[in-house]
Amino acid sequence: LNVITGFFCEHAFDMAQADRDALVQDQLRDKDIYMAFFTEIFHQMDYDTTGEISIIELEAFMSDARFMAYLAHLNLNVLNAWTIFRLLDKDADGSVSIDEFVTGLLRLRGPAKTIDIRTVHFDLGRQSKVLSEFMAYTDVQLHSMKESIDKIAK
């Protein structure tokens, strides 16, 4: 009985490993497919062939039914070009490079995960603390300036 149980357990482990390997291969294949499609779309959007997309080029492409359908397929509900542009323009230089475009869309696809939400929550908490400290510093400086002005005025 132990031999039979051992055989079935070993077989189950082998099957689980094969399933994991197949899942990883599927995910890598899907990523390659997405990257190829995003690269193709990028080159279509880049009308002036600068290697970067401007907000104007993105807005012009937002009326493309194929592009919008693909964004919907990726669970990206984009209301306007500016929304997606600011999310893709990682370095905030006013244009989106092919790397920003491809990696940005890969990062944005699918529904938000718990780690994404927790990351935003953490970043907002940190920003709130920095802003509070800056406001306190500004308040002290303004108070000091007011006192100096009051002394000069007397």
Side-chain angles (χ1 to χ4, degrees):
L1 186 62
N2 285 340
V3 172
I4 294 173
T5 302
F7 172 74
F8 282 114
C9 286
E10 184 179 337
H11 184 66
F13 286 131
D14 290 344
M15 293 299 291
Q17 182 62 40
D19 286 346
R20 258 194 313 261
D21 292 345
L23 180 64
V24 168
Q25 290 302 317
D26 287 347
Q27 288 177 342
L28 291 173
R29 186 190 69 245
D30 289 349
K31 182 178 178 185
D32 289 342
I33 291 169
Y34 288 134
M35 289 178 67
F37 183 77
F38 294 156
T39 301
E40 175 188 334
I41 293 261
F42 179 88
H43 290 299
Q44 291 174 13
M45 281 185 186
D46 187 18
Y47 293 116
D48 58 7
T49 64
T50 60
E52 296 186 332
I53 296 173
S54 67
I55 183 67
I56 295 168
E57 289 171 315
L58 182 61
E59 283 176 337
F61 213 76
M62 293 297 284
S63 61
D64 183 285
R66 182 174 163 222
F67 179 64
M68 295 307 290
Y70 205 74
L71 290 181
H73 168 72
L74 296 175
N75 295 324
L76 287 172
N77 296 323
V78 180
L79 300 176
N80 59 46
W82 177 244
T83 301
I84 195 166
F85 188 82
R86 68 184 175 85
L87 292 173
L88 295 176
D89 187 14
K90 193 169 184 174
D91 59 7
D93 66 351
S95 63
V96 175
S97 68
I98 191 165
D99 183 53
E100 288 174 319
F101 186 77
V102 172
T103 58
L105 287 179
L106 282 173
R107 192 176 59 248
L108 292 173
R109 69 187 170 96
K113 295 177 180 59
T114 302
I115 192 165
D116 299 326
I117 295 168
R118 294 299 304 158
T119 300
V120 169
H121 184 264
F122 174 79
D123 289 343
L124 285 174
R126 192 173 52 185
Q127 289 292 332
S128 178
K129 180 180 176 194
V130 168
L131 183 59
S132 293
E133 290 171 357
F134 176 73
M135 290 174 69
Y137 170 78
T138 302
D139 191 46
V140 168
Q141 295 302 313
L142 287 173
H143 237 62
S144 176
M145 288 173 59
K146 183 180 182 309
E147 289 174 357
S148 295
I149 290 172
D150 288 344
K151 284 181 186 177
I152 293 172
K154 291 182 181 182

